Amino acid sequence: MRTIRIYVEQPLTVGAPVPLAQQAAEHVSRVLRLSSGDPLVLFNGDGHDYAATLSEVGKRQVTATVEGRKEVLCESPLPLVLAQGVARGEKMDLIVQKATELGVSAIVPLITERSEVKLDGERAAKRLAHWQAVIASACEQCGRAVLPRVVAPMPLTGWLTTLADDGALRLALLPEGDRRPRDLSPTSAGAILVVGPEGGLGERDVASLAAHGFRGLQ
């Protein structure tokens, strides 16, 4: 039987009842059609799975009772930050979903020279909330119990000034790149990978990246 995993944005304690948020409650009761007494797993991003049982499935409220806590050891030992030029619509959702499933530790949406998506403050906040939901859903499916961090979209040049000199590999996906995956020697500090939007990275983008120590990766 498939394990049902549900993300909840609240502290979890063994023995305590957990009222599910509206969207999760509707998914459990209307989509999955679970009933009182059915098992499921809750997680809140703290690195643990919490075995639980549905104690109430009503029209107005769905409640689960936490019965156990287990550490989930499936995170990649190599920290990887994906700095992704914002793509249009569902393409960006797919990138966020698959990056989460592949184990990245953080996702940075970038506005680059050839970006076609324009996001003001309100739209950027809505997109950020949407991507956070995509990440939570991907973690439910792939078994991760730690959600990768995602930040609001920011210009590439501004983001580069925030980077710490921590020894992480700095790579940008470029057709003319002089490095290949088999040539890389990962370090404990991990890696940062920059990927352009649909039109790729522009000349000014590439120059800015090179000035901050990024090498091209084929």
Side-chain angles (χ1 to χ4, degrees):
M1 180 178 177
R2 182 169 69 94
T3 300
I4 305 300
R5 300 180 77 245
I6 301 294
Y7 173 70
V8 293
E9 198 172 352
Q10 58 184 297
L12 295 170
T13 304
V14 175
V18 181
L20 300 187
Q22 181 180 357
Q23 185 173 357
E26 291 180 353
H27 182 68
V28 165
S29 60
R30 297 183 182 181
V31 179
L32 299 177
R33 297 186 179 277
L34 299 182
S35 304
S36 179
D38 284 341
L40 72 164
V41 172
L42 306 178
F43 70 103
N44 62 4
D46 69 354
H48 296 81
D49 274 353
Y50 294 80
T53 299
L54 290 173
S55 50
E56 178 185 359
V57 181
K59 293 182 179 180
R60 296 186 177 181
Q61 182 167 292
V62 175
T63 302
T65 299
V66 178
E67 298 177 341
R69 177 176 182 264
K70 179 183 179 182
E71 186 176 11
V72 179
L73 301 174
C74 67
E75 291 301 302
S76 171
L78 178 68
L80 176 61
V81 175
L82 172 64
Q84 172 68 51
V86 178
R88 295 191 298 269
E90 294 183 357
K91 291 181 181 178
M92 190 65 182
D93 290 356
L94 183 62
I95 292 169
V96 171
Q97 176 192 6
K98 296 306 178 184
T100 299
E101 293 173 351
L102 289 170
V104 301
S105 54
I107 300 171
V108 182
L110 295 177
I111 305 301
T112 64
E113 183 180 343
R114 295 175 179 170
S115 292
E116 298 182 11
V117 178
K118 306 300 180 184
L119 299 172
D120 57 20
E122 183 177 352
R123 287 189 64 200
K126 289 182 178 179
R127 289 296 291 273
L128 175 59
H130 176 72
W131 292 328
Q132 288 170 333
V134 172
I135 287 172
S137 178
C139 286
E140 287 178 348
Q141 298 300 317
C142 73
R144 290 185 68 177
V146 175
L147 277 65
R149 180 175 59 91
V150 60
V151 299
M154 64 180 70
L156 169 66
T157 51
W159 169 71
L160 287 171
T161 64
T162 69
L163 296 180
D165 187 12
D166 58 3
L169 289 175
R170 297 186 177 191
L171 304 166
L173 194 61
L174 299 170
E176 66 277 12
D178 61 356
R179 308 195 75 181
R180 298 186 181 186
R182 64 171 178 267
D183 301 326
L184 303 179
S185 299
T187 70
S188 59
I192 305 169
L193 176 64
V194 177
V195 180
E198 290 89 344
L201 295 168
E203 292 183 3
R204 291 193 300 273
D205 295 330
V206 174
S208 295
L209 288 165
H212 285 82
F214 280 80
R215 299 279 300 274
L217 179 68
Q218 289 190 12

